[in-house]
Protein backbone atom coordinates (compact mmCIF):
# COMPACT_ATOMS: atom_id res chain seq x y z
CA UNK A 1 0.00 0.00 0.00
CA UNK A 2 2.71 2.52 0.94
CA UNK A 3 4.80 1.51 -2.04
CA UNK A 4 1.83 2.03 -4.34
CA UNK A 5 1.02 5.44 -2.82
CA UNK A 6 4.63 6.57 -3.23
CA UNK A 7 4.70 5.45 -6.86
CA UNK A 8 1.34 7.11 -7.64
CA UNK A 9 2.54 10.34 -5.99
CA UNK A 10 5.79 10.29 -7.97
CA UNK A 11 4.07 9.59 -11.29
CA UNK A 12 1.68 12.49 -10.78
CA UNK A 13 4.61 14.81 -11.59
CA UNK A 14 7.46 12.42 -12.38
CA UNK A 15 9.85 15.03 -13.70
CA UNK A 16 9.72 16.97 -10.42
CA UNK A 17 9.27 14.10 -7.96
CA UNK A 18 11.47 11.29 -9.26
CA UNK A 19 14.42 12.68 -7.32
CA UNK A 20 12.60 12.02 -4.02
CA UNK A 21 11.94 8.32 -4.68
CA UNK A 22 15.19 7.03 -3.19
CA UNK A 23 14.46 8.74 0.15
CA UNK A 24 10.78 7.76 0.15
CA UNK A 25 11.58 4.11 -0.49
CA UNK A 26 13.23 4.09 2.95
CA UNK A 27 9.66 4.22 4.35
CA UNK A 28 8.63 0.96 2.70
CA UNK A 29 8.88 -2.26 4.67
CA UNK A 30 9.82 -4.42 1.73
CA UNK A 31 9.82 -7.53 3.94
CA UNK A 32 6.02 -7.04 4.28
CA UNK A 33 5.45 -6.69 0.53
CA UNK A 34 4.65 -9.80 -1.52
CA UNK A 35 7.96 -10.89 -3.05
CA UNK A 36 6.34 -11.98 -6.34
CA UNK A 37 4.78 -8.52 -6.62
CA UNK A 38 8.20 -6.92 -6.04
CA UNK A 39 9.85 -9.19 -8.60
CA UNK A 40 7.19 -8.34 -11.18
CA UNK A 41 7.45 -4.63 -10.38
CA UNK A 42 11.24 -4.74 -10.69
CA UNK A 43 10.93 -6.32 -14.13
CA UNK A 44 8.09 -4.24 -15.56
CA UNK A 45 8.23 -0.83 -13.85
CA UNK A 46 11.12 1.23 -15.22
CA UNK A 47 10.61 4.06 -12.70
CA UNK A 48 10.68 1.67 -9.72
CA UNK A 49 13.61 -0.39 -10.99
CA UNK A 50 15.47 2.83 -11.76
CA UNK A 51 15.49 4.00 -8.13
CA UNK A 52 19.08 4.07 -6.93
CA UNK A 53 19.75 1.29 -4.39
CA UNK A 54 16.29 -0.31 -4.76
CA UNK A 55 17.63 -3.87 -5.03
CA UNK A 56 19.60 -3.46 -1.80
CA UNK A 57 16.57 -1.98 0.00
CA UNK A 58 14.40 -4.90 -1.07
CA UNK A 59 16.96 -7.42 0.22
CA UNK A 60 17.82 -5.56 3.47
CA UNK A 61 16.03 -7.32 6.33
CA UNK A 62 18.35 -5.91 9.01
CA UNK A 63 16.92 -2.42 9.43
CA UNK A 64 15.92 -1.99 13.07
CA UNK A 65 13.94 0.81 14.69
CA UNK A 66 15.88 3.68 16.20
CA UNK A 67 14.85 5.71 19.27
CA UNK A 68 12.00 7.99 18.25
CA UNK A 69 11.09 11.57 18.93
CA UNK A 70 8.54 13.38 16.83
CA UNK A 71 9.83 16.68 15.51
CA UNK A 72 7.71 19.69 14.64
CA UNK A 73 9.09 19.51 11.10
CA UNK A 74 7.74 16.00 10.48
CA UNK A 75 4.58 14.70 8.86
CA UNK A 76 2.74 11.68 10.25
CA UNK A 77 1.06 9.43 7.71
CA UNK A 78 -1.37 6.74 8.82
CA UNK A 79 -1.22 3.91 6.32
CA UNK A 80 -3.40 0.86 6.13
CA UNK A 81 -1.25 -1.07 8.64
CA UNK A 82 1.52 1.33 9.64
CA UNK A 83 2.25 4.87 10.78
CA UNK A 84 5.06 6.73 8.99
CA UNK A 85 7.09 9.71 10.15
CA UNK A 86 8.34 11.70 7.17
CA UNK A 87 10.54 14.77 7.41
CA UNK A 88 9.45 17.80 5.42
CA UNK A 89 12.22 17.17 2.88
CA UNK A 90 10.59 13.73 2.18
CA UNK A 91 13.07 11.65 4.16
CA UNK A 92 11.33 8.76 5.94
CA UNK A 93 12.35 8.98 9.58
CA UNK A 94 10.66 5.81 10.89
CA UNK A 95 7.74 3.44 10.57
CA UNK A 96 5.69 1.75 13.26
CA UNK A 97 3.00 -0.92 12.95
CA UNK A 98 -0.46 0.21 14.02
CA UNK A 99 -2.28 -1.76 16.74
CA UNK A 100 -4.12 -4.75 15.28
CA UNK A 101 -7.57 -3.17 15.77
CA UNK A 102 -6.50 -0.11 13.73
CA UNK A 103 -4.94 -2.11 10.89
CA UNK A 104 -7.09 -1.99 7.78
CA UNK A 105 -9.30 0.65 9.37
CA UNK A 106 -10.43 3.73 7.46
CA UNK A 107 -11.48 7.10 8.85
CA UNK A 108 -9.02 7.40 11.72
CA UNK A 109 -7.82 10.74 13.07
CA UNK A 110 -4.49 11.52 14.72
CA UNK A 111 -2.76 14.32 16.58
CA UNK A 112 0.48 14.78 18.52
CA UNK A 113 0.31 15.65 22.22
CA UNK A 114 3.51 15.98 24.27
CA UNK A 115 5.44 13.96 21.68
CA UNK A 116 2.90 11.10 21.77
CA UNK A 117 0.55 10.32 18.89
CA UNK A 118 -3.13 9.91 19.70
CA UNK A 119 -5.18 7.96 17.11
CA UNK A 120 -8.96 7.75 17.38
CA UNK A 121 -11.95 6.34 15.55
CA UNK A 122 -11.94 4.32 12.40
CA UNK A 123 -14.31 2.19 10.39
CA UNK A 124 -13.91 -1.52 9.77
CA UNK A 125 -15.47 -3.67 7.09
CA UNK A 126 -17.87 -6.38 8.18
CA UNK A 127 -19.46 -8.44 5.42
CA UNK A 128 -19.73 -5.62 2.87
CA UNK A 129 -20.79 -2.99 5.43
CA UNK A 130 -18.70 -0.51 7.39
CA UNK A 131 -18.95 -0.32 11.18
CA UNK A 132 -17.69 2.67 13.20
CA UNK A 133 -15.17 1.92 15.90
CA UNK A 134 -15.00 3.79 19.20
CA UNK A 135 -11.37 3.50 20.15
CA UNK A 136 -8.40 5.63 21.06
CA UNK A 137 -4.73 4.68 21.14
CA UNK A 138 -1.60 6.49 22.37
CA UNK A 139 1.72 5.86 20.66
CA UNK A 140 4.73 6.55 22.88
CA UNK A 141 7.40 7.49 20.37
CA UNK A 142 10.34 7.08 22.73
CA UNK A 143 9.31 3.51 23.63
CA UNK A 144 7.81 2.58 20.25
CA UNK A 145 4.74 1.23 22.01
CA UNK A 146 0.96 1.56 21.70
CA UNK A 147 -1.48 1.77 24.64
CA UNK A 148 -5.26 1.59 24.35
CA UNK A 149 -6.89 4.57 26.08
CA UNK A 150 -10.01 4.18 28.19
CA UNK A 151 -13.07 6.26 27.36
Amino acid sequence: QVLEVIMLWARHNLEEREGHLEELMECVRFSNVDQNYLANMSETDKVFSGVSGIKELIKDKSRHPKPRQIQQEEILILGFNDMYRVALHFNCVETSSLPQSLQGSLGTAACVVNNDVIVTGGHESQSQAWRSQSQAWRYNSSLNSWTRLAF
Side-chain angles (χ1 to χ4, degrees):
Q1 299 101 344
V2 172
L3 176 58
E4 292 168 0
V5 169
I6 290 170
M7 296 306 295
L8 284 171
W9 174 84
R11 283 191 178 91
H12 182 72
N13 188 348
L14 189 59
E15 194 172 303
E16 182 180 312
R17 297 176 177 180
E18 190 170 20
H20 298 291
L21 281 173
E22 184 177 352
E23 289 178 289
L24 287 171
M25 289 299 161
E26 295 282 336
C27 293
V28 178
R29 289 186 178 177
F30 287 103
S31 59
N32 292 345
V33 178
D34 180 87
Q35 297 304 301
N36 291 328
Y37 176 78
L38 285 175
N40 182 51
M41 203 167 166
S42 295
E43 291 174 13
T44 61
D45 189 324
K46 292 179 183 178
V47 174
F48 176 75
S49 61
V51 174
S52 177
I54 194 66
K55 290 180 182 177
E56 292 77 15
L57 275 175
I58 291 171
K59 292 177 185 176
D60 185 7
K61 310 284 190 230
S62 66
R63 294 189 307 170
H64 297 287
K66 301 171 188 164
R68 296 159 166 85
Q69 182 173 10
I70 297 165
Q71 303 296 320
Q72 193 171 14
E73 301 83 22
E74 294 175 349
I75 300 169
L76 293 174
I77 301 170
L78 294 177
F80 207 61
N81 294 319
D82 299 302
M83 178 178 67
Y84 306 88
R85 289 178 35 224
V86 180
L88 291 181
H89 61 283
F90 299 110
N91 184 25
C92 181
V93 177
E94 194 57 65
T95 60
S96 173
S97 293
L98 292 172
Q100 188 68 34
S101 67
L102 287 173
Q103 291 186 8
S105 181
L106 301 174
T108 55
C111 66
V112 177
V113 178
N114 296 328
N115 207 40
D116 289 345
V117 179
I118 308 297
V119 179
T120 61
H123 303 284
E124 66 179 349
S125 176
Q126 288 190 336
S127 46
Q128 300 178 351
W130 289 94
R131 182 178 70 90
S132 289
Q133 300 182 101
S134 297
Q135 62 179 328
W137 290 84
R138 176 184 300 246
Y139 174 72
N140 182 317
S141 59
S142 60
L143 299 176
N144 186 29
S145 67
W146 289 93
T147 306
R148 190 172 194 128
L149 301 176
F151 278 75

